[in-house]
Amino acid sequence: MIYSVLIIEDDEGIQTYLKELLLDNGYNVMTASDGITGLKIIKKSVPDLVLLDLGLPDMSGESVCAQIKKDVPDLRIIMLTARDTPHDIIQGLNLGADDYLTKPYATKELIARIRLHCAVMRSRKLWPTRLLISETWQFIRIAMKYVSVMKSWI
């Protein structure tokens, strides 16, 4: 399964670096340079994961995070930011971010965290399918028992 990641980052150099890194690792990538554009992209096509910078030009990353969680509560968000105080980290996680990495971050660590969060999203997306399959088999077993009971009466 190919996962899609939305990068919301106003620094063009960082955005390009992240995009190339993710493409090289097999991800579909969408980008936005501001929060409003990022939110519009999410409304059109919900990605599996969002990489979110906090210092955006039009609205704060915190506001973007809160809006995403309001619109799509299960969407995974990793905040990537230079803000590294414990207060900032706790605030970001309390706003709904699923992970928080401070710049500069290790590339391998970032990819590992992205893989983890995409796996979580995949398992959440598959859960209803697993339930449906389980319920279908349960129905088939009940129907087979019914058929065998009916045959014994004939």
Side-chain angles (χ1 to χ4, degrees):
M1 174 176 222
I2 297 175
Y3 297 105
S4 61
V5 178
L6 171 61
I7 301 166
I8 305 177
E9 169 66 64
D10 63 321
D11 184 307
E12 189 177 324
I14 294 172
Q15 186 186 98
T16 300
Y17 170 75
L18 290 171
K19 181 177 181 178
E20 290 175 8
L21 175 69
L22 293 173
L23 288 171
D24 288 346
N25 280 274
Y27 294 92
N28 286 332
V29 181
M30 300 172 278
T31 60
S33 297
D34 59 74
I36 293 173
T37 303
L39 292 171
K40 286 179 183 176
I41 290 171
I42 291 168
K43 285 183 190 231
K44 289 181 183 176
S45 176
V46 177
D48 295 301
L49 176 71
V50 174
L51 299 180
L52 177 62
D53 180 33
L54 292 182
L56 299 171
D58 58 345
M59 60 190 298
S60 72
E62 293 92 346
S63 297
V64 174
C65 181
Q67 188 63 48
I68 291 171
K69 287 298 182 174
K70 180 181 175 194
D71 295 343
V72 190
D74 290 337
L75 182 54
R76 308 294 286 189
I77 300 172
I78 300 176
M79 287 187 174
L80 300 176
T81 181
R83 299 180 192 171
D84 61 355
T85 68
H87 173 76
D88 291 326
I89 295 168
I90 292 166
Q91 181 182 0
L93 295 171
N94 284 339
L95 284 169
D98 299 287
D99 209 341
Y100 193 105
L101 274 174
T102 57
K103 298 174 187 174
Y105 40 80
T107 302
K108 288 182 180 181
E109 179 183 3
L110 174 61
I111 291 298
R113 289 177 187 237
I114 290 170
R115 280 191 189 117
L116 170 72
H117 289 289
C118 285
V120 169
M121 277 302 292
R122 181 172 186 230
S123 69
R124 285 183 180 173
K125 286 180 180 178
L126 290 177
W127 184 247
T129 304
R130 288 181 185 146
L131 284 175
L132 179 61
I133 291 168
S134 173
E135 289 171 358
T136 301
W137 279 112
Q138 185 176 8
F139 173 77
I140 290 170
R141 282 192 294 272
I142 291 168
M144 301 277 286
K145 286 180 184 177
Y146 176 76
V147 168
S148 66
V149 167
M150 291 301 292
K151 283 183 179 181
S152 69
W153 288 356
I154 297 176

